[in-house]
Structures are given as structure tokens and as C-alpha cells.
Amino acid sequence: MADAALIACHECDLLQREAALPRGGVASCVRCGATLYRSHPDSLERTLALTAGAILLFIIANSFPIVGLALQGQVINTTLYNTVHTLWDEDMKSVATLVFVTTIAMPVLQLGALVYLLVPLRIGRVLPHFELVYRALHAAQPWGMVEVFMLGVIVSLVKLAHLAGVVPGIALWSFAVLMLVMAAIAATFDPRAFWAQVEALQ
Ligand SMILES: [Zn+2]
């Protein structure tokens, strides 16, 4: 990088030249010390690997029961999708929509966007409309709320435990791990590395 790009500090607006960082290094503003950017070694490869893991977890989380309730000798199992369906049928349409959007639609959008952007990049290509997909990925991030969902499920399970036998299902554990993997993706994905690779191709 002979002709280093300029970067403005997001805290104090000071313009400075970007410098190449050592592995795991952090660039700080010379005036106010704010973190400008950090080096994420192998950011895109790691993000891709985590995305593959997240997709697998997401499929398991949606195919198996979240929880089984043992009531009067009967065990009722329910998956996430069934729950959304039941809420809709019980005329709790806004809750059903919220659960669907935050725990199914947004994770699908996020993971789909990552695959669309990173898999072709791995073989040195970018697909059409990738800027739009990149923007969608950013827009989806605050709406994916797997962790809020987990908290809600745990609170309800504790309450339900007084009324019925609660059997946590495979999907519940998958959701718990998915929550961690999604957080790891957010921490690993480095937009700077992404755009640097895209620019190198064009
Ligand atoms: Zn600064």
C-alpha cells in the first residue's frame, strides 16, 4: 500500500493516513487515541467458516423441538416454526410476526448475505448487486435477536416448570450455540478486509 488511503477519526475527525498493521495490531488516532481499525487475521476465511457452522446450527435449531412439555402423562413437543404458527392462529399476529422476523427471517437474511458475498470472493469473483446485499447485511444485523429470544425462552421455561415438566430439546441447545456463533461472526467479519479484496478484483 504505497499510496495509503486517508481515514477520518470517528471521534475527533482528524484525517490521517492508513498504515499496514502487524497481525492482531490496532491502529489508534494520533490525536485522541480512539481505535481507528484493527487487524483481523484471516478475517474473511474465519467468517466463512463460522457462517457454515451457523447455517448448520440454524437448520438443526429449526428442525428439532425447542422444548417438550410433560403434562398429565403426555409430552408435547414444539419447534420454533410451530410456535410462530400457533401464535398466529391464536390471533397474536404481531407477536408471531416479531418472533418470525427476529429469529427466523433476519438470521436467514444475514447468513444468506454472507454466503452470497464471501463464497464467490473466495474464488476471486463478486456476484451482481453485491453492494445491495452488503447493505442488506448491515440493515439486518440489529434485527437478528437470537439472544433476546434465548432469554425469553429461558424465562418462560423457568415459569412453566411450576406447571409442567419441561424437557429442553436439541433445538434449544442449538440456538444457544448459534447465539455465540452469530456474535463471533459479527466480531470476526472485517468490512475493511472485505472491501480491500473487492477492490483488488476490480
Ligand atoms: Zn481522534
Side-chain angles (χ1 to χ4, degrees):
M1 221 184 272
D3 237 341
L6 286 172
I7 185 170
C9 171
H10 55 89
E11 293 291 336
C12 71
D13 276 343
L14 181 68
L15 271 183
Q16 40 216 305
R17 289 206 184 281
E18 289 187 5
L21 290 181
R23 250 179 113 77
V26 178
S28 308
C29 172
V30 288
R31 183 157 68 189
C32 72
T35 299
L36 296 175
Y37 55 92
R38 50 183 76 228
S39 125
H40 298 264
D42 311 319
S43 158
L44 302 182
E45 286 83 357
R46 285 177 196 213
T47 307
L48 199 55
L50 287 167
T51 304
I55 291 172
L56 206 66
L57 285 165
F58 185 82
I59 292 171
I60 298 173
N62 280 286
S63 321
F64 289 94
I66 300 177
V67 65
L69 288 178
L71 246 181
Q72 294 167 345
Q74 269 188 317
V75 179
I76 309 157
N77 284 309
T78 182
T79 62
L80 180 58
Y81 185 74
N82 279 338
T83 312
V84 171
H85 214 276
T86 310
L87 283 169
W88 187 268
D89 288 343
E90 295 289 322
D91 221 22
M92 287 187 264
K93 293 193 166 54
S94 50
V95 181
T97 309
L98 202 63
V99 173
F100 179 78
V101 168
T102 55
T103 61
I104 300 179
M106 287 305 154
V108 165
L109 187 65
Q110 261 175 287
L111 295 173
L114 283 168
V115 168
Y116 189 92
L117 295 172
L118 296 181
V119 173
L121 205 59
R122 191 88 185 86
I123 51 169
R125 292 195 49 192
V126 281
L127 294 182
H129 307 298
F130 77 98
E131 304 96 330
L132 205 72
V133 175
Y134 183 86
R135 244 178 269 159
L137 174 67
H138 260 256
Q141 232 149 23
W143 289 98
M145 295 183 195
V146 178
E147 59 276 14
V148 179
F149 169 75
M150 273 307 290
L151 205 66
V153 170
I154 290 167
V155 171
S156 345
L157 289 188
V158 170
K159 294 220 161 199
L160 274 172
H162 298 296
L163 304 170
V166 172
V167 190
I170 301 172
L172 191 66
W173 306 118
S174 308
F175 262 115
V177 184
L178 179 64
M179 178 180 81
L180 299 176
V181 176
M182 293 298 271
I185 289 177
T188 310
F189 182 66
D190 179 7
R192 291 167 45 82
F194 173 77
W195 287 109
Q197 276 212 28
V198 169
E199 235 166 70
L201 289 175
Q202 283 166 346

